[in-house]
Amino acid sequence: MGYGTLAHTVGCLPLKQLTTTLQQYNIDFVQLALSKAIQDIDTSTGKLSPGLASYIGEQFDKAGIRIGVLGCYINPIHPDPAIRRTEINRFKEHLRYARQFGAPMVATETGALTNWLQQEPIHYIEKGWETLHATVQELAEEANKWGVSIGLEGVSNHTLSTPDSMQRILEEVPSSTLGVVFDPCNMIGEEVHLQDEIVDRAFKLYGDRMILVHLKDIYYEDNRVRHGIAGKGLFHTEAFMAKLQQYKPMIDISLEEITGPEINDTIALLSGLVPRQD
């Protein structure tokens, strides 16, 4: 497996300081959200170019770290069409220049189920789905032009809230550019007692479409679910790693809900569950 983390786990820093800091950890790649991680370069919409993307990619390459994914977490179902268009345009810009960054994919979540509740109190779920379908269709057409994948991440209270809803969008937008960023803890949500069923359902439906994994763990605090460092909580991490090895050997795993000092120990723990193939 390849292990990485969010680049901004170590903070929002000047680019060269960022890559130097990330070199301290035993990571293979990062998930790079430009504005969250890079302090000294304006990467707002309209500012990207092949030259800028290549420059940033080269700094990570010199540090021996891949940019495994560009994080561009937009709200693709925002009820305000002007805001939604701004979000879509930003995502498209990331798709256009992803290859210059060295990234094979751009990832996003899909907006809360309640996004359209105020405007459509009865049919808000249907309206959210209709909007998501249109946005994903448009983005898939753009991704196809540039040979880049879109990573869709499901969350238990978002438009793609279950394994079946994820499979539905993959069927309704039959584009090979669409892949799944599988965060099992996000998909499990509050249904911790059903975690094995949810994970197994996801692998059964679209294990072949998973292109990136996010990994953290589930804890209870004040009788409420919270997320934290992988491998020490209630999530069945060892069983999950075995399933990953079966369905997607060597897939990239991005560690979340973690601090810099915890990264190396967590990678060592996970590597002990499924030995790395260097």
Side-chain angles (χ1 to χ4, degrees):
M1 305 292 181
Y3 295 99
T5 192
L6 304 170
H8 58 275
T9 293
V10 298
C12 185
L13 302 171
L15 178 58
K16 292 186 178 180
Q17 183 181 348
L18 177 69
T19 56
T20 299
T21 302
L22 288 165
Q23 278 184 302
Q24 300 175 39
Y25 307 108
N26 298 327
I27 56 174
D28 303 298
F29 74 96
V30 290
Q31 176 168 321
L32 178 62
L34 296 168
S35 60
K36 291 183 177 181
I38 300 174
Q39 183 187 86
D40 59 336
I41 300 175
D42 183 356
T43 58
S44 58
T45 306
K47 297 297 176 67
L48 297 186
S49 67
L52 177 56
S54 295
Y55 174 74
I56 293 172
E58 287 164 3
Q59 301 312 305
F60 278 91
D61 186 59
K62 289 177 182 177
I65 300 170
R66 285 186 289 115
I67 301 176
V69 52
L70 290 179
C72 185
Y73 277 55
I74 65 170
N75 182 356
I77 63 167
H78 199 289
D80 185 321
I83 295 175
R84 188 167 69 250
R85 176 50 50 191
T86 298
E87 298 272 79
I88 290 171
N89 288 344
R90 177 160 176 76
F91 198 93
K92 283 185 171 183
E93 187 176 62
H94 278 61
L95 290 172
R96 286 198 297 275
Y97 299 116
R99 288 295 184 182
Q100 278 75 40
F101 282 101
M105 71 187 82
V106 184
T108 185
E109 293 174 352
T110 58
L113 278 169
T114 55
N115 261 256
W116 283 88
L117 180 60
Q118 184 175 352
Q119 293 85 348
E120 300 278 349
I122 297 176
H123 301 292
Y124 68 93
I125 293 178
E126 292 86 348
K127 185 62 177 178
W129 186 268
E130 175 187 322
T131 308
L132 178 67
H133 183 281
T135 299
V136 171
Q137 180 71 57
E138 180 178 346
L139 293 179
E141 292 171 1
E142 186 73 20
N144 187 59
K145 297 175 184 177
W146 303 100
V148 177
S149 295
I150 296 171
L152 296 176
E153 181 177 349
V155 182
S156 63
N157 59 357
H158 283 197
T159 315
L160 298 183
S161 58
T162 65
D164 289 86
S165 60
M166 178 66 79
Q167 178 63 11
R168 179 184 171 190
I169 198 67
L170 294 175
E171 290 175 348
E172 289 188 4
V173 184
S175 170
S176 60
T177 65
L178 295 184
V180 176
V181 174
F182 187 38
D183 187 322
C185 293
N186 277 356
M187 190 66 86
I188 290 163
E190 301 287 331
E191 304 291 336
V192 181
H193 61 296
L194 297 176
Q195 62 173 293
D196 292 329
E197 290 89 338
I198 293 169
V199 168
D200 287 345
R201 182 68 172 164
F203 276 114
K204 179 180 179 181
L205 290 177
Y206 47 81
D208 60 324
R209 302 291 292 274
M210 294 178 188
I211 56 177
L212 179 72
V213 169
H214 285 174
L215 193 57
K216 46 185 176 265
D217 216 319
I218 299 169
Y219 300 83
Y220 277 115
E221 188 175 271
D222 298 327
N223 294 318
R224 298 188 64 179
V225 167
R226 71 171 183 86
H227 292 149
I229 185 173
K232 298 181 179 180
L234 299 172
F235 180 60
H236 299 162
T237 303
E238 186 170 2
F240 178 70
M241 295 293 287
K243 291 168 188 173
L244 274 184
Q245 187 75 345
Q246 175 187 351
Y247 283 90
K248 284 289 180 179
M250 302 299 291
I251 195 170
D252 279 344
I253 300 173
S254 182
L255 303 177
E256 296 194 328
E257 300 293 336
I258 197 167
T259 65
E262 298 167 324
I263 291 173
N264 287 350
D265 287 344
T266 302
I267 291 175
L269 185 155
L270 297 172
S271 297
L273 300 179
V274 179
R276 296 182 72 167
Q277 300 177 22
D278 294 324

